[in-house]
Amino acid sequence: VSLLILGSCCSGLAYGSWTKAFSLAKKSSSVSNYMLTNPFVSAIYGYLLIGDPIEKSAIIGGAVIMTGLVLFNFGPALAKKTG
């Protein structure tokens, strides 16, 4: 049951949102990296919806992914300010 909920609801919602974002984006590169958040967001939804435990490795992986997204989106602006 958990796999069905995570697969159809959580991942489906993430893929649908990602597809919609592609149709609205001016540049596909501004959206493409967000697909990497799908497993992390699905784990959070699983926890919130059905109480599925989140492993420490998922939290660490999610933090690495989010850090990468911040650097991708704001890295050039931060480099200009410090350089």
Side-chain angles (χ1 to χ4, degrees), residues 41-65:
V41 172
S42 293
I44 292 171
Y45 280 144
Y47 174 75
L48 295 174
L49 296 175
I50 58 176
D52 198 24
I54 300 177
E55 301 289 327
K56 186 189 294 188
S57 60
I59 294 169
I60 293 168
V64 169
I65 290 168

Side-chain angles (χ1 to χ4, degrees), residues 5-62:
I5 291 172
L6 288 175
S8 61
C9 296
C10 301
S11 293
L13 180 63
Y15 281 112
S17 300
W18 188 61
T19 303
K20 183 65 176 175
F22 260 122
S23 69
L24 298 173
K26 293 179 183 176
K27 296 186 318 183
S28 62
S29 63
S30 64
V31 177
S32 60
N33 288 332
Y34 285 95
M35 192 55 180
L36 300 172
T37 64
N38 187 20
F40 184 59
V41 172
S42 293
I44 292 171
Y45 280 144
Y47 174 75
L48 295 174
L49 296 175
I50 58 176
D52 198 24
I54 300 177
E55 301 289 327
K56 186 189 294 188
S57 60
I59 294 169
I60 293 168

